[in-house]
Amino acid sequence: MHHEHQSGQEHEHVFLGTAHDVHEKRTRYVVAITAAMMIVEIAAGWLTGSMALLADGFHMATHAGALGVAAWAYAFARRHARNPRFTFGTGKVGDLAGFASALVLAIIALGIGVESIGRLFESAWIAYSEAIPIAVLGLVVNLASAWLLGHGHHEHDDRTHGHHHDHADNNLRSAYFHVLADALTSVLAIGALVAGRFLGWGWMDAVMGIVGAVVIGRWSWGLVQVTGAVLVDAVDTRPLEQEISEAIDDGDARITDLHVWQVGPGKYAAIVSLVAAKPLSPAEYAARVMIHEELVHVTVEPHRCAGTHGRALRAA
């Protein structure tokens, strides 16, 4: 049995995403501005009695917390990128952080939903004139955060040259879509407060609190699915597996076992077992496979299978 890890020489297992440092810096900026706005909105929601504003404030709090964990994950992954204790590097730390944040978000969404439902059955005083400007300010902050993160998100997409494999940094992508959801919650809060102020629809505030809780819950569930798939190696790698098969198949070699899994944002490892009547060296097979830039760690196990049995395998 032969093993070929990339060139067959000692190498590093640094599988961090493209522009890791830039994403880390932008995430820190967004954490700072959203944390400040979070305090303002929660305090204003409490003082004005607006459940929609309070829900938006807590949504922003979860957003700031999730981004804070993301920023920590970036720093941790960078600091321990060459730590030999991490067999395949620290590329999945961001996904672990996102998964943990999503679980916390689900609990908070449930709390906001229960409180908002309770408000439907009781009249509550709301200081609309004070609450509306705060909600508008929250929307402005969310849009600014979305622009800051979205700029890096689209820059990263441009660098992939439209390749069909998923190169996305789940840390950055989840933060980007989270601030968009946050902006939507702010719009709902503004709509509820305006309706209550000018139409007398006080019940709209509680309804928008419920809608905000649903938005948070849906985002949480989506992030659990995406990050959980990476953590348990359940990411769909079928397109990449097909490309590996095409690279190996030369009319003589036949793949008998293939494992492909994600080790970082847009980075994959593979173990390829094959049989051939006249197998090439592991390095030659690995060179064929690694024309695909996503594959950063490849192990090839060629086995000789001579005679009629080998021909039968190729015909199968």
Side-chain angles (χ1 to χ4, degrees), residues 81 165 171 173 182 238:
H165 293 306
N171 240 353
R173 183 166 63 178
D182 224 352
R238 284 173 295 180

Side-chain angles (χ1 to χ4, degrees), residues 40-62:
V40 172
E41 278 204 319
I42 292 177
W46 181 268
L47 295 174
T48 61
S50 170
M51 195 60 218
L53 189 58
L54 196 62
D56 190 40
F58 275 112
H59 189 184
M60 188 167 284
T62 62

Side-chain angles (χ1 to χ4, degrees), residues 248-257 272-280 285 300-306 309-314:
I248 293 293
D249 186 6
D250 59 2
D252 181 49
R254 176 176 179 270
I255 292 178
T256 57
D257 194 24
V272 185
S273 295
L274 61 91
V275 294
K278 297 179 180 179
L280 304 176
Y285 287 120
V300 178
E301 301 176 353
H303 300 270
R304 182 179 300 277
C305 187
H309 183 52
R311 289 194 294 273
L313 278 173
R314 291 196 298 276

Side-chain angles (χ1 to χ4, degrees), residues 108-190:
I108 293 177
L110 180 62
I112 292 175
V114 171
E115 178 66 20
S116 296
I117 291 173
R119 288 288 188 94
L120 281 175
F121 302 99
E122 61 180 33
S123 58
W125 169 84
I126 300 175
Y128 293 107
S129 299
E130 290 79 9
I132 291 175
I134 299 297
V136 172
L137 179 60
L139 176 60
V140 171
V141 169
N142 286 325
L143 293 177
S145 299
W147 178 85
L148 188 61
L149 292 175
H151 187 57
H153 176 72
H154 294 307
E155 277 184 349
H156 181 64
D157 284 347
D158 292 340
R159 284 193 294 270
T160 65
H161 305 295
H163 205 284
H164 65 273
H165 293 306
D166 184 7
H167 286 245
D169 182 332
N170 279 335
N171 240 353
L172 189 73
R173 183 166 63 178
S174 63
Y176 176 59
F177 287 112
H178 192 185
V179 294
L180 291 183
D182 224 352
L184 173 61
T185 309
S186 294
V187 170
L188 295 176
I190 293 170

